[in-house]
Amino acid sequence: MKIAVLGASGRAGSEIAREAAARGHQVLAIARNPAKIPSVEGVTATAGDASDPEALAPLIAGNDAVISALHFDVSADTLLGTLRKAGVHRLLVTGGAASLEVAPGKRLIDSPDFPEEWKPFATGGITFLDALRQVDDVDWTFFSPAALIFEGPRTGAYRTGGDLLLTDEAGESKISFADYAIAMVDELEAHRHSRARFTAAY
């Protein structure tokens, strides 16, 4: 598959680009500063800014899918408009965990111990997901990680779920960036969550 990864210089984006290339996909890795994108066989690094649809659309045109590992300072409407302009119909998004439910009707962000300083970014992810849920002309997937996503080993072992936060026997919700990338590329290939959100954790 030909895929474009936006935000490919970040921790999630670089791992996703690396994982996709290792499986033989043709990866166009896009970041504002392409020098920060890891040099990996099968990955072509290029400069691009998702806040500039006119410039980004020609870059991503011709790809089978776009994977966004961007922060949520670029709105869903802006990114979706860029995909439409480019004629790309599939979008996978690295989302946040804040909107996952810890109990029926109770989101993680509403928990009393949710860090206050995380809320601005978390709210951006919730707004992005809400916007995607109104869209039917782009085949989108929103991938919420576990509550803790960390630098760690690539094990290939993870569980998936829907809107409920996944926890292990110790009550912890976590996954490494490397295994998050595996789950993202598995979704790219298997296409199990069309116009839906899913999560993954150990």
Side-chain angles (χ1 to χ4, degrees):
M1 238 182 282
K2 291 178 65 178
I3 64 168
V5 178
L6 307 179
S9 61
R11 290 179 296 178
S14 61
E15 288 288 352
I16 291 165
R18 189 190 312 275
E19 179 68 26
R23 300 195 200 183
H25 298 292
Q26 187 176 333
V27 180
L28 178 66
I30 300 172
R32 289 175 180 171
N33 186 351
K36 294 183 177 179
I37 298 171
S39 179
V40 177
E41 184 177 353
V43 174
T44 301
T46 191
D49 186 346
S51 65
D52 184 355
E54 294 298 327
L56 184 62
L59 282 180
I60 65 173
N63 281 279
D64 299 301
V66 169
I67 298 178
S68 172
L70 299 166
H71 295 303
F72 295 113
D73 50 352
V74 176
S75 71
D77 287 345
T78 297
L79 189 53
L80 289 164
T82 304
L83 264 73
R84 294 178 182 118
K85 186 184 295 288
V88 179
H89 301 291
R90 190 163 178 218
L91 172 66
L92 298 93
V93 177
T94 61
S99 59
L100 290 167
E101 292 186 342
V102 294
K106 183 180 180 182
R107 303 173 302 176
L108 181 61
I109 195 173
D110 301 320
S111 301
D113 56 350
F114 191 89
E116 196 66 32
E117 63 270 20
W118 292 2
K119 287 187 177 179
F121 174 75
T123 301
I126 292 169
T127 300
F128 201 102
L129 175 57
D130 287 345
L132 288 179
R133 284 174 164 159
Q134 308 305 312
V135 171
D136 59 11
D137 65 329
V138 173
D139 187 356
W140 59 268
T141 300
F142 190 92
F143 180 12
S144 290
L148 174 64
I149 182 167
F150 64 97
E151 300 284 355
R154 181 186 188 279
T155 70
Y158 65 88
R159 297 174 295 137
T160 60
D163 290 322
L164 184 67
L165 182 75
L166 295 177
T167 57
D168 61 19
E169 292 178 353
E172 296 181 331
S173 176
K174 59 186 179 181
I175 193 168
S176 70
F177 281 102
D179 285 332
Y180 179 90
I182 292 174
M184 176 66 89
V185 181
D186 284 351
E187 174 61 27
L188 173 73
E189 295 174 344
H191 207 163
R192 295 189 181 97
H193 299 91
S194 177
R195 297 188 180 90
R197 182 259 290 281
F198 79 105
T199 187
Y202 294 138

